[in-house]
Amino acid sequence: MSSASSTDPSPRRRGVALLGSTGSIGQQALDVLDADPSFRVVALAAGRNAAELGAQARRYSPAAVALTDPDAVRELAGLVPAGTTILAGADALIELATRDDVDLVVVGTGGVVSLRPVLAALAAGKVVATANKETLVAGGHLVMPLAKERAAGRAAVDPADPLASPLGWLRPIDSEHSAIWQSLVGERLSTVARLILTASGGPFLDLPADAFAAITPERALRHPTWSMGAKITIDSATLANKGLEVIEARWLYDVGYEQIDVVIHPQSVVHSAVQFVDGSIKAQLGTPDMRLPIQYALTYPDRRPSPAAPADLVALARLDFRAPDTARFPALRIAREAGVLGPRATAALIAADDVAVARFLAGSLDFPGIPRLLEAAVTRFGTPTGADPDLDDLVALDADVRAAFATAAMGAFA
Ligand code: MG
């Protein structure tokens, strides 16, 4: 797709800012955007991959690009088309996300730093589609009130407006939350009995507890159904990912933790479900392909053909479900406990998880050490201290957790 704005024949194409364009979510989002001429890529941002961002810039001719790593940005100058604005640093994400020509911001970046552009984009009246887990796990108490405020403004004019719902403004890209969102279309939240988050169970679903200490990064990186980045693949193997998703669901759908169940479903076809007060369950099924939930977040409330293969029930033949084992996968329990404690605990949890996974991949923490580190961080940093943390508090807390656990000897928390 080539899309220089000066020759754009359709003034109604929606402008997209893609934050994290060189990552797994970013590249799949571009795949979706390639197939949909109703969007125009106007801004691309990445961390430090100048070569890939340059290639994307030559392909999409965005108005602006940014690298958050100020050192890497020097390499970018010769790689982007003339006329493309080049920005650097974390603040550049805010500038891209709030541009006048941007309607929709897709957030594929990781880390608590992504909270600032999300909040700035919502404040500026942009729709945000996010795959960033910190958005809700650390900042749900900041982000959801803004999305609700935006939705209330639309509801006052037209209750049938798709943007009259907070989910119209803060759109989940995660497959589970997308499935719940899709299952809730046409329903009232007050008739929801439970949310049912499905989990593949990861590669160690049937591994005995006494074999966990010998798990290597190479084995943990082999996910049975999904193709994803390294961090989320390890999170799927520990079920920490599902724990974080429970917390996200609590904020997105405004339900209590006791109303959110996790069910192991190894085929990853039922992406999640909702049970209503009459006992009925509605679920969304699809091929395990992130381009499906990414596309729904972009086109909501519309559907259109997808580059992903269609689901085929006869070919699938069977779908299995079972209860999770929180004894072998304690991260699930720890995440719920953090959720009940509040935003300080969930912010500590997600920062600690980043540290724990990095240490596991680097070989300085064994697999069972990951949940132990999570629990230690929640215990040490998660106690509520009166007011909920604001954005600056969250950034400081994130740094404190990293400093405390990044190089700690196992004895410090084991
Ligand atoms: Mg997920």
Side-chain angles (χ1 to χ4, degrees):
M1 185 171 91
S2 169
S3 58
S5 58
S6 55
T7 57
D8 184 352
S10 164
R12 298 182 61 211
R13 293 172 78 196
R14 282 165 292 172
V16 175
L18 178 52
L19 311 184
S21 64
T22 60
S24 171
I25 292 291
Q27 297 197 23
Q28 293 181 85
L30 287 172
D31 243 18
V32 171
L33 291 165
D34 281 345
D36 192 333
S38 68
F39 293 101
R40 192 165 63 90
V41 176
V42 298
L44 293 170
R48 63 185 64 86
N49 191 344
E52 178 63 24
L53 183 63
Q56 290 176 347
R58 293 193 296 280
R59 180 157 184 211
Y60 294 94
S61 301
V65 295
L67 283 175
T68 52
D69 182 341
D71 294 327
V73 87
R74 273 181 260 115
E75 300 168 40
L76 200 54
L79 301 177
V80 305
T84 302
T85 304
I86 298 176
L87 300 166
D91 286 348
L93 298 184
I94 298 172
E95 197 169 331
L96 296 191
T98 57
R99 290 174 58 94
D100 286 344
D101 54 1
V102 166
D103 303 295
L104 198 149
V105 181
V106 178
V107 186
T109 43
V112 76
V113 290
S114 302
L115 256 172
R116 281 187 208 280
V118 166
L119 291 167
L122 286 170
K126 315 298 187 189
V127 167
V128 175
T130 182
N132 169 271
K133 282 199 147 52
E134 282 83 357
T135 300
L136 290 160
V137 173
H141 62 295
L142 304 175
V143 171
M144 286 317 288
L146 255 181
K148 284 180 181 171
E149 194 182 307
R150 285 279 154 208
R154 292 297 184 111
V157 179
D158 175 12
D161 187 334
L163 294 178
S165 150
L167 284 159
W169 291 93
L170 191 81
R171 304 180 179 185
I173 281 178
D174 218 348
S175 60
E176 293 80 359
H177 302 109
S178 181
I180 291 171
W181 182 21
Q182 294 178 54
S183 300
L184 284 171
V185 168
E187 305 286 351
R188 294 201 184 107
L189 272 177
S190 59
T191 64
V192 171
R194 329 191 54 75
L195 305 181
I196 302 166
L197 283 169
T198 54
S200 71
F204 310 122
L205 182 57
D206 296 308
L207 194 72
D210 60 8
F212 273 45
I215 292 171
T216 60
E218 292 69 30
R219 280 173 71 201
L221 284 170
R222 260 181 252 135
H223 195 276
T225 48
W226 289 99
S227 166
M228 308 176 288
K231 164 70 167 53
I232 192 169
T233 303
I234 303 301
D235 281 344
S236 297
T238 61
L239 289 195
N241 180 56
K242 210 52 51 179
L244 298 175
E245 288 176 358
V246 167
I247 297 163
E248 293 177 285
R250 173 261 174 273
W251 287 110
L252 279 170
Y253 305 106
D254 217 0
V255 299
Y257 284 104
E258 71 288 352
Q259 284 176 281
I260 307 172
D261 291 341
V262 171
V263 171
I264 302 294
H265 167 49
Q267 291 94 349
S268 302
V269 168
V270 176
H271 293 308
S272 278
V274 178
Q275 185 157 44
F276 296 92
V277 290
D278 63 357
S280 294
I281 292 177
K282 282 171 76 175
Q284 183 260 342
L285 283 67
T287 312
D289 187 321
M290 284 307 294
R291 291 174 300 181
L292 275 171
I294 290 169
Q295 176 168 303
Y296 190 75
L298 293 173
T299 63
Y300 165 84
D302 294 328
R303 291 185 186 274
R304 61 193 57 173
S306 160
D312 180 338
L313 291 179
V314 173
L316 286 163
R318 60 178 284 180
L319 300 173
D320 299 305
F321 302 94
R322 62 171 119 160
D325 177 356
T326 52
R328 283 185 304 137
F329 299 99
L332 206 46
R333 166 187 60 78
I334 296 161
R336 280 184 185 276
E337 289 169 0
V340 172
L341 276 172
R344 203 168 286 279
T346 55
L349 174 78
I350 195 164
D353 187 51
D354 210 31
V355 172
V357 171
R359 286 186 54 183
F360 170 68
L361 291 173
S364 77
L365 189 65
D366 66 1
F367 193 83
I370 296 174
R372 283 208 301 278
L373 193 153
L374 300 185
E375 188 146 42
V378 170
T379 302
R380 182 157 158 198
F381 291 98
T383 310
T385 58
D388 282 338
D390 64 17
L391 193 49
D392 290 335
D393 295 334
L394 289 173
V395 172
L397 180 62
D398 184 83
D400 288 347
V401 170
R402 288 167 192 277
F405 292 102
T407 57
M410 279 299 294
F413 64 88

Coordinates of all heavy atoms in Angstrom, one line a residue, residues 133 174-176 241-242 245, ligand 1:
K133 N -0.5 -4.2 27.9 CA -1.1 -4.7 29.1 C -1.1 -3.7 30.2 O -1.9 -3.7 31.1 CB -0.5 -6.1 29.5 CG -1.0 -7.2 28.6 CD -0.8 -8.6 29.3 CE -1.9 -9.6 28.9 NZ -2.2 -9.7 27.5
D174 N -6.3 -7.8 22.5 CA -6.0 -9.1 23.0 C -7.2 -10.0 22.6 O -8.4 -9.6 22.6 CB -6.1 -9.0 24.6 CG -5.0 -10.0 25.2 OD1 -4.5 -10.8 24.4 OD2 -4.8 -9.8 26.4
S175 N -6.9 -11.3 22.2 CA -7.9 -12.1 21.6 C -9.0 -12.4 22.6 O -10.2 -12.5 22.3 CB -7.3 -13.4 21.1 OG -6.6 -14.1 22.2
E176 N -8.6 -12.6 23.9 CA -9.6 -13.0 24.9 C -10.6 -11.8 25.1 O -11.8 -12.0 25.2 CB -8.9 -13.3 26.2 CG -8.1 -14.6 26.2 CD -6.7 -14.4 25.6 OE1 -6.4 -13.2 25.1 OE2 -6.0 -15.4 25.5
N241 N 0.3 -14.5 32.0 CA -0.4 -13.8 31.0 C -1.9 -13.8 31.3 O -2.6 -12.8 31.2 CB -0.2 -14.4 29.6 CG -0.9 -13.7 28.5 OD1 -0.8 -12.5 28.3 ND2 -1.7 -14.4 27.7
K242 N -2.4 -15.0 31.7 CA -3.9 -15.1 32.0 C -4.2 -14.3 33.2 O -5.3 -13.7 33.3 CB -4.3 -16.5 32.1 CG -5.7 -16.9 31.7 CD -6.1 -16.4 30.3 CE -5.1 -16.8 29.2 NZ -5.5 -16.3 27.9
E245 N -4.6 -10.8 32.3 CA -5.8 -10.7 31.5 C -7.1 -10.6 32.4 O -8.1 -10.0 32.1 CB -6.0 -11.8 30.4 CG -5.0 -11.6 29.3 CD -5.0 -12.7 28.3 OE1 -5.7 -13.6 28.4 OE2 -4.2 -12.5 27.3
Ligands
MG1 MG -4.4 -13.0 25.2

